[in-house]
Amino acid sequence: MATSDTSAADVHDDFDARPRGPRHAFIRTEAGSAGLLVVVAVLALLWANSPWSQAYVDLWHSELSVTLAGHGISMDLHHWVNDGLMVVFFFVVGLEVRREFSVGELTERSRLTVPLVAGIGGMLVPTILYLALNPSGEAAAGWGIVIGTDTAFLLGMLALVGPAVSTQLRIFLLTLTVIDDIVAVSVIGIVYSDGISLPSLAVAGACLVLLAVMGRVGIWRASPYVAVVVVLWVATLESGLHASIAGMVSGLLVPALDPERRLVESAADQFRAFRQSPLPNLQRSARQQLNRAISVNERLQEVLHGWTSYVVVPVFALANAGVDLRGGLLGDALRSPVTWGVVVGLVLGKLLGIGAGALVASRRGWGSLPQGVGPGHVWAGAALSGIGFTVSLLIAGLAFEDDQLRDQATVGVLLAALLAGVVGWVLFRVAARMGEGDAALPTVLSEAVDLEVDHVKGDPAAELTLVEYLDYECPFCARATGSAEEVRAHFGDRLRYVVRHLPLSVHPHAELAGVAAEAAARQGRFWEMHDLLFSRQDRLTWDDLIGHATELDLDVERFAADLADERLLERLWRDVESAAASGVRGTPTFFVGERRHIGPFDARSLIEALEASLDPRVNTPD
């Protein structure tokens, strides 16, 4: 049997192949809010240093009380922002982390090793450097300021100074910040908390248990989760722990699942019924079925990402970035070991800790860097990770009771953000000169269609080619949704449709089903078996496949022998290897001609992409 460094277990769902997923929406939202953060931070600085600076101070010291039946919460606006609004931010972070572990990048635990080592280095080295400059006294309490990375600023700066296409580097950095966020929130919730109230802590613990039970029994409505999280927030606030930990932990307990085919089909049936008879009860049923098809985790992310990116975090920046630099404060800050501890920790510490950690881990064989990401990309991304901003400012406000130390730390955070951006820009330019271009997956088909090997439906000489990498156990591959058949019906003899195998490790019967299709091909019945396998995805065991062969009137003894023929398995591995070399990370993935299709894979989108490929300007090589 042929051997390869690439296996079916290594090739799994990746959002570069499915750009409609939450990760890409997350990237677009966070990167788009980075410019707003810069504007708001500058506005806060200008306001705090203007003739109206007292109004800035008075605003955030204004008291706001919320009471019910004589019981309530009373805090100034600054604390409502830091202890209230920021809980929503960390709740969204928790949702994203849970999704990554359940159905995202971190489902394949081997992909966690390199970012884990890099993330640990990116926290230990900055902490050591900060404590080297501030070894004792109250200043030493600020070590937590240098462990955080602001994801929004990081992605925004990556879009500004990084490669034109940096999808794989973004994924790597986001995976790394998952670790960063978990540790940072743990530090905030435990190290920088007040005295603990056991009764309130017990209520908070009960809320966490309830969230876990709700997820386990499959409650799909969002409102019960939101209600429990609100109670959890109040209990955590009263317990003495910082409320951010309630946001992160509760987000981690909200389940994330891939859409189930039966739920998607049920939603489609309800929608068709509403289209035929637009009545209020059918509209309600259709909406409920659509909600059930998407996990509550992703629905909450969809609703909250915009609010956190464009409201919560900018308001936090407005409340925390306004440092009055007059009266010699700037000069004092530039002479303060606290300021320079923050700057050195974030700028130099993140660079060395993340960069060295990632490269050492990959070179020792503990894991590998994402395809398309080079050492220069890693060093530059590590530099940008020194933009701590949101988390760093929050910890600075918690670490120091002394206003002067807090202001000095804030100056350090702002200065570090500027320097980290400049260092990242320089390192990206150096990487480009060394030949490291885009940090993205390949988009060109690595192996052209071979009429002697590939399975082709339609005129072999057709002007249009649609190649699909598929998995016979994947519920959303084209045969299951009917996309490919609709596309073929639209173009007729102008299109040739080619299928290649990509059995995913998450589907236990996919590899054997692929071999069965190849065994049927030896008897000239590939397409008949292809259609039958997709129509009976719940029946793909060995015995089931023998039954399918009998139904198709194949030579069953020959078919059974071929199922054990390693040469057919090698045939599948050839497709798996070509998929990896072509940047394919999930199924279904389509190539229009030689170019990977990036976008929705419904029939209409594929037809539009194929028609666009006839335009010479579209086919011009980059």
Side-chain angles (χ1 to χ4, degrees), residues 347-398:
V347 178
L348 183 60
K350 289 287 186 182
L351 174 65
L352 295 177
I354 293 174
L359 296 179
V360 167
S362 61
R363 288 174 181 173
R364 285 186 173 273
W366 299 342
S368 59
L369 295 175
Q371 187 178 4
V373 175
H377 294 143
V378 172
W379 285 112
L384 294 185
S385 298
I387 303 175
F389 202 75
T390 305
V391 177
S392 296
L393 289 178
L394 180 60
I395 295 179
L398 296 170

Side-chain angles (χ1 to χ4, degrees), residues 5-54:
D5 293 334
T6 304
S7 70
D10 294 325
V11 185
H12 64 99
D13 183 28
D14 185 289
F15 292 91
D16 192 64
R18 298 180 64 182
R20 296 178 302 157
R23 178 183 292 278
H24 279 255
F26 177 82
I27 289 173
R28 290 193 300 269
T29 302
E30 298 297 335
S33 69
L36 179 60
L37 278 178
V38 172
V39 171
V40 171
V42 172
L43 175 62
L45 278 171
L46 293 175
W47 190 358
N49 289 273
S50 73
W52 304 279
S53 59
Q54 190 58 44

Side-chain angles (χ1 to χ4, degrees), residues 591-607:
F591 283 77
V592 174
E594 295 184 346
R595 290 283 178 175
R596 181 155 51 87
H597 173 68
I598 299 178
F601 44 78
D602 59 283
R604 178 182 298 179
S605 299
L606 292 173
I607 289 170

Side-chain angles (χ1 to χ4, degrees), residues 234-247:
V234 174
T236 307
L237 200 62
E238 295 294 325
S239 73
L241 291 175
H242 193 274
S244 61
I245 199 168

Side-chain angles (χ1 to χ4, degrees), residues 252-567:
L252 289 170
L253 292 175
V254 178
L257 304 166
D258 273 331
E260 295 183 34
R261 182 182 175 186
R262 64 178 181 84
L263 294 177
V264 172
E265 290 180 345
S266 176
D269 291 340
Q270 291 291 335
F271 181 79
R272 280 192 293 268
F274 172 71
R275 185 176 59 183
Q276 294 168 0
S277 182
L279 298 174
N281 63 317
L282 293 178
Q283 180 264 351
R284 183 170 56 255
S285 297
R287 187 176 66 248
Q288 289 178 350
Q289 288 300 324
L290 286 169
N291 284 338
R292 293 195 68 176
I294 303 297
S295 71
V296 64
N297 182 297
E298 295 191 58
R299 282 186 278 122
L300 285 171
Q301 286 192 61
E302 181 72 19
V303 171
L304 295 175
H305 264 309
W307 285 100
T308 56
S309 297
Y310 290 102
V311 177
V312 172
V313 175
V315 169
F316 172 83
L318 185 65
N320 290 273
V323 180
D324 190 343
L325 300 176
R326 296 170 299 181
L329 189 148
L330 180 59
D332 291 342
L334 294 178
R335 293 189 295 271
S336 167
V338 170
T339 301
W340 290 108
V342 171
V343 171
V344 172
L346 285 172
V347 178
L348 183 60
K350 289 287 186 182
L351 174 65
L352 295 177
I354 293 174
L359 296 179
V360 167
S362 61
R363 288 174 181 173
R364 285 186 173 273
W366 299 342
S368 59
L369 295 175
Q371 187 178 4
V373 175
H377 294 143
V378 172
W379 285 112
L384 294 185
S385 298
I387 303 175
F389 202 75
T390 305
V391 177
S392 296
L393 289 178
L394 180 60
I395 295 179
L398 296 170
F400 299 127
E401 295 183 2
D402 185 288
D403 290 342
Q404 186 175 13
L405 290 178
R406 186 183 304 117
D407 289 344
Q408 291 170 358
T410 301
V411 171
V413 171
L414 298 176
L415 183 57
L418 176 63
L419 292 176
V422 172
V423 173
W425 177 80
V426 171
L427 291 178
F428 273 123
R429 302 287 80 75
V430 172
R433 288 183 176 275
M434 294 174 61
E436 294 185 15
D438 290 342
L441 291 171
T443 59
V444 178
L445 196 63
S446 64
E447 292 188 16
V449 174
D450 185 341
L451 298 178
E452 298 297 323
V453 177
D454 283 308
H455 302 291
V456 181
K457 180 179 283 190
D459 184 353
E463 63 177 329
L464 294 171
T465 300
L466 182 66
V467 179
E468 180 186 3
Y469 282 90
L470 53 78
D471 173 318
Y472 284 111
E473 207 170 353
C474 166
F476 298 107
C477 285
R479 186 60 189 170
T481 61
S483 295
E485 291 303 311
E486 291 182 42
V487 173
R488 289 188 62 249
H490 177 85
F491 288 104
D493 293 338
R494 299 170 58 204
L495 174 74
R496 61 178 184 177
Y497 171 57
V498 182
V499 299
R500 289 180 175 176
H501 302 283
L502 183 56
L504 304 182
S505 60
V506 294
H507 297 145
H509 305 107
E511 186 175 275
L512 183 59
V515 172
E518 292 300 325
R522 284 185 170 177
Q523 301 185 42
R525 306 294 294 278
F526 173 84
W527 290 106
E528 291 88 342
M529 180 63 78
H530 169 89
D531 293 344
L532 194 57
L533 292 172
F534 270 128
S535 67
R536 299 177 184 175
Q537 288 186 308
D538 58 340
R539 296 169 56 188
L540 298 177
T541 65
W542 179 283
D543 290 340
D544 291 328
L545 297 175
I546 296 297
H548 299 338
T550 302
E551 183 175 340
L552 293 176
D553 199 27
L554 300 180
D555 181 334
V556 176
E557 290 188 6
R558 178 185 175 191
F559 178 83
D562 287 339
L563 286 180
D565 189 338
E566 287 195 355
R567 288 175 296 178

